[in-house]
Amino acid sequence: MTKLTFVELKLLVREPGAMFSLLIPLFILVIFGSSIGPGDTMLLPMALAIAVGLVGLYMLPTTMATYRERGILRRLSSTPVRPASMLVVQLILQFVLAVVSCGLLVIFAGTVLGAHLPTRGPLIAVTFLLGTAAMFAIGLLIAALAPNGRAANGVGVLLYFPMAFLAGLMQPTDKMPVILARIGEYTPLGAFRQSMQDVWAGGAPDPLMLVVMAAYALVISIAAAKFFRWE
């Protein structure tokens, strides 16, 4: 398991998509960073949601579907390393990638841009874990249903942009039609962005939004497990 993790980590570091997932949210933060003031509680949570969304909907499903397409998971079944071990390792590494991406955003925003940083660590951790779990569940379902890596990549991108729009990541929700903004609150990415924004504003996330993220994570994970194929 340790050797597998080390090998997969080296492959992940070399993967252009991993660099893309790290740099795109940071690039957005740099471009719009001039709008961040000491009391800003919107831009950084939006950037964090973008980072988690990219890893969950782009990196994770593409990697797993590609491994199945190339027969890697099937070949693992004939070795002491079971295919399930690959899934666990990928989930861990993709989670680490999301943490690193979000960590870079927070460090840059706090040190270079002087953005407001919350101090309620436990609330941030709970919100981050639930939001990431919800997005990863969707990524696993895409990987389960996609016939190959290219299809998984395409489906992930097609899902990402409407979800990002509804979540208020492309424009503030107060500039959107009320009905769309309301729908967006109950998408996994929208619930994550809103919960993070609540914490950044010094409050607590709406318990309903936490339940929404947990429900997405649970229900979609069950569906992904049902449809997932190792070969």
Side-chain angles (χ1 to χ4, degrees):
M1 187 74 165
T2 302
K3 184 175 181 180
L4 177 62
T5 302
F6 180 70
V7 171
E8 288 301 309
L9 177 60
K10 289 196 297 183
L11 293 175
L12 180 63
V13 171
R14 298 171 185 171
E15 172 60 45
M19 191 61 62
F20 174 85
S21 299
L22 288 173
L23 294 182
I24 290 299
L26 188 60
F27 175 77
I28 292 173
L29 191 62
V30 170
I31 293 299
F32 296 99
S34 59
S35 66
I36 291 185
D40 184 274
T41 59
M42 293 184 60
L43 186 55
L44 187 52
M46 289 171 61
L48 295 175
I50 290 171
V52 172
L54 285 175
V55 176
L57 295 181
Y58 172 68
M59 283 297 299
L60 178 59
T62 301
T63 301
M64 292 306 300
T66 299
Y67 278 10
R68 185 177 64 243
E69 176 189 4
R70 294 177 178 174
I72 294 175
L73 299 180
R74 174 173 48 80
R75 290 196 293 271
L76 281 175
S77 63
S78 62
T79 71
V81 180
R82 309 304 297 175
S85 300
M86 176 67 78
L87 177 59
V88 172
V89 167
Q90 280 299 319
L91 287 173
I92 292 173
L93 292 180
Q94 299 295 342
F95 178 76
V96 170
L97 177 61
V99 170
V100 170
S101 180
C102 291
L104 288 175
L105 292 172
V106 172
I107 292 172
F108 182 84
T111 57
V112 178
L113 302 177
H116 167 76
L117 299 179
T119 57
R120 308 182 74 175
L123 289 178
I124 297 174
V126 169
T127 301
F128 180 81
L129 288 173
L130 288 176
T132 303
M135 298 311 299
F136 276 28
I138 298 173
L140 288 175
L141 183 59
I142 295 172
L145 298 175
N148 51 55
R150 181 176 298 179
N153 191 339
V155 172
V157 171
L158 287 176
L159 276 180
Y160 179 79
F161 285 104
M163 287 181 64
F165 173 76
L166 290 172
L169 303 184
M170 296 184 177
Q171 63 175 339
T173 53
D174 58 5
K175 309 254 184 229
M176 296 169 57
V178 175
I179 183 64
L180 289 181
R182 190 64 176 167
I183 292 172
E185 290 180 359
Y186 293 94
T187 63
L189 206 53
F192 178 54
R193 193 272 309 162
Q194 183 60 55
S195 297
M196 275 295 186
Q197 187 172 319
D198 290 341
V199 176
W200 244 256
D206 184 344
L208 178 59
M209 295 296 100
L210 299 181
V211 171
V212 166
M213 290 187 287
Y216 274 114
L218 177 62
V219 173
I220 299 178
S221 291
I222 292 174
K226 179 178 180 180
F227 293 109
F228 196 85
R229 308 179 312 280
W230 294 110
E231 58 181 291

